[in-house]
Amino acid sequence: MLENMKQSANFPMFVKTRVAEIENKYSKIDREWLILHFKMAVSFSIAAFFVESLLSLYVSQTSLVTTTLLRFYLKYLILPTVANMLLLFICALLMKNQQVSQTQRIYIVSFTTTLISFVLTTTHNIFTPIYIIYLIPIVLTVIYTVPRLTSTISISSLALFFLSEFVLIWDPNKETIFESPIRLTEIILLFVIMLIFSIICIISVRFLQQKNSASIELEMERLALEHQLRFDELTGIYNRSGLNAALESIEESNGEDSYILAVGDIDYFKKINDRYGHHTGDMCLKAYAETLKKVAKNCMVFRFGGDQFCLLFQNISMDEARAVCTEIQKEVRDFQISDTIVLSLTTSFGLAKYNPDAGVTELFIRADYALYSAKKERNKVVIFQADH
């Protein structure tokens, strides 16, 4: 938890980072599905080849063959297989091209699957039910939850369906819809099925996309609520609730890490409010918090209340922690509050090291006691000694 809280010190960036993490997970799922999508396209072509081979062997033994066997195999087996392999080869090359984005790869694989279906339907459209395979490339796009993709593939499939049925004449023995009322009925029925199926898929994708967007929005709202609960509204750093959560996580840790708590405040802060007003005092607190974050980069910063702040160090020595506090004292000597106000501030710190036997409540009490000792002289850094 401590590591997560460290990363969330800047709320807007934290929200963007968390949303980016969710989107990256979605993108990873898309990449995995894209690979599987391509493998299915390959498997689809291989399965089609074996089915075509068996059908060709069977048909070649019947009276359905009205041409030479060489031409028959060339037209209904070899050319379709070569066309599909060429499509897959081009697709594989584009998939390996680093300049091609993931979105472009998704479209490429989807169109490749659609074109493979077109090759098969054009070759074997003497059998009307063959057109049902156009549903395969449409349904494979649903996982991506991109309505435009599903719509594009659906429209392309319907267009290729008409092209294969009414424009290209690959098999001269195929009956046209004008010659066969049964075929006309079948074509109309298949078109209606494809159209309804496409509409259902597009609607489903839109709802899935809305569902994903809603989950991200809910996560952002949760983060906003967490921010309100654990972050100080004025300074943007952790508040007392955030400190309590961090201290609780220390007690729940495995004890392998060491911790030092520094409690500090601005000397004579009340005089700043009295002389310059509370607005300037608020600006001073914000600037002081920014200084703490800038100097104490590797620790967590909290506003406990008023002008009292806390620094929680992890896995550093007491000398290093004291050096950080001393550097903060140097930074606030000439404090630029605004374009017109420059104050020479001093700040005091009390430091205490976490003892698992004493607990985190005692840790804060000891650091606060050390601060009390430092305030006697002001602008001091006092380390709690156990014999006090």
Side-chain angles (χ1 to χ4, degrees), residues 22 64 99 294:
I22 297 173
L64 294 175
Q99 296 181 346
K294 181 181 73 173

Side-chain angles (χ1 to χ4, degrees), residues 149-197:
L149 171 66
T150 303
S151 301
T152 302
I153 296 302
S154 297
I155 294 172
S156 300
S157 296
L158 290 171
L160 292 174
F161 171 37
F162 275 99
L163 181 63
S164 178
E165 175 64 23
F166 299 107
V167 179
L168 298 178
I169 303 176
W170 190 260
D171 191 336
N173 297 320
K174 184 194 75 172
E175 292 182 313
T176 67
I177 59 173
F178 306 105
E179 298 171 337
S180 172
I182 295 177
R183 187 173 182 88
L184 173 61
T185 304
E186 291 174 343
I187 292 298
I188 293 174
L189 182 61
L190 283 170
F191 174 77
V192 171
I193 291 173
M194 285 183 60
L195 183 61
I196 294 174
F197 187 84

Side-chain angles (χ1 to χ4, degrees), residues 291-314:
T291 301
L292 294 180
K293 289 195 296 183
K294 181 181 73 173
V295 178
K297 296 179 181 178
N298 298 321
C299 79
M300 300 175 65
V301 183
F302 308 86
R303 183 188 179 194
F304 187 75
D307 66 320
Q308 194 171 65
F309 292 78
C310 297
L311 303 173
L312 183 59
F313 300 94
Q314 183 176 355

Side-chain angles (χ1 to χ4, degrees), residues 44-161:
F44 183 30
S45 297
I46 294 174
F49 169 74
F50 282 109
V51 171
E52 286 174 324
S53 298
L54 293 175
L55 285 175
S56 297
L57 287 175
Y58 170 74
V59 172
S60 65
Q61 305 300 318
T62 67
S63 59
L64 294 175
V65 177
T66 58
T67 184
T68 63
L69 286 179
L70 178 60
R71 187 175 181 181
F72 174 80
Y73 281 115
L74 180 66
K75 192 172 184 178
Y76 297 100
L77 180 61
I78 298 175
L79 287 180
T81 301
V82 171
N84 287 339
M85 291 301 105
L86 182 61
L87 287 171
L88 290 171
F89 177 73
I90 295 172
C91 181
L93 288 180
L94 293 174
M95 289 273 286
K96 292 181 179 180
N97 190 337
Q98 298 299 321
Q99 296 181 346
V100 178
S101 67
Q102 179 166 302
T103 300
Q104 291 172 327
R105 292 176 184 178
I106 289 172
Y107 273 89
I108 289 169
V109 174
S110 300
F111 274 114
T112 299
T113 310
T114 306
L115 290 174
I116 290 173
S117 301
F118 173 67
V119 170
L120 295 176
T121 55
T122 301
T123 305
H124 306 290
N125 61 5
I126 190 174
F127 308 106
T128 309
I130 192 70
Y131 287 118
I132 206 72
I133 67 174
Y134 276 118
L135 300 182
I136 296 175
I138 296 174
V139 75
L140 289 178
T141 64
V142 173
I143 294 295
Y144 300 113
T145 62
V146 180
R148 180 177 295 181
L149 171 66
T150 303
S151 301
T152 302
I153 296 302
S154 297
I155 294 172
S156 300
S157 296
L158 290 171
L160 292 174
F161 171 37

Side-chain angles (χ1 to χ4, degrees), residues 5 19 32 52 119 124 218 235 243 249 253 284-285 349:
M5 291 179 70
V19 171
E32 292 174 352
E52 286 174 324
V119 170
H124 306 290
L218 287 173
T235 61
L243 175 63
S249 67
S253 63
C284 182
L285 291 174
F349 290 96

Side-chain angles (χ1 to χ4, degrees), residues 301-349:
V301 183
F302 308 86
R303 183 188 179 194
F304 187 75
D307 66 320
Q308 194 171 65
F309 292 78
C310 297
L311 303 173
L312 183 59
F313 300 94
Q314 183 176 355
N315 296 329
I316 68 171
S317 67
M318 185 61 76
D319 288 339
E320 290 174 315
R322 179 168 52 188
V324 170
C325 295
T326 302
E327 182 63 26
I328 293 171
Q329 289 177 324
K330 294 178 181 178
E331 288 285 329
V332 301
R333 285 176 185 170
D334 294 310
F335 217 33
Q336 186 79 38
I337 302 301
S338 67
D339 294 338
T340 58
I341 302 175
V342 178
L343 300 178
S344 180
L345 301 180
T346 60
T347 179
S348 301
F349 290 96

Side-chain angles (χ1 to χ4, degrees), residues 8-28:
S8 60
N10 186 323
F11 171 63
M13 184 57 67
F14 173 46
V15 172
K16 293 177 183 179
T17 301
R18 183 57 184 153
V19 171
E21 288 175 358
I22 297 173
E23 292 176 343
N24 286 337
K25 288 182 180 180
Y26 286 161
S27 181
K28 182 180 178 182

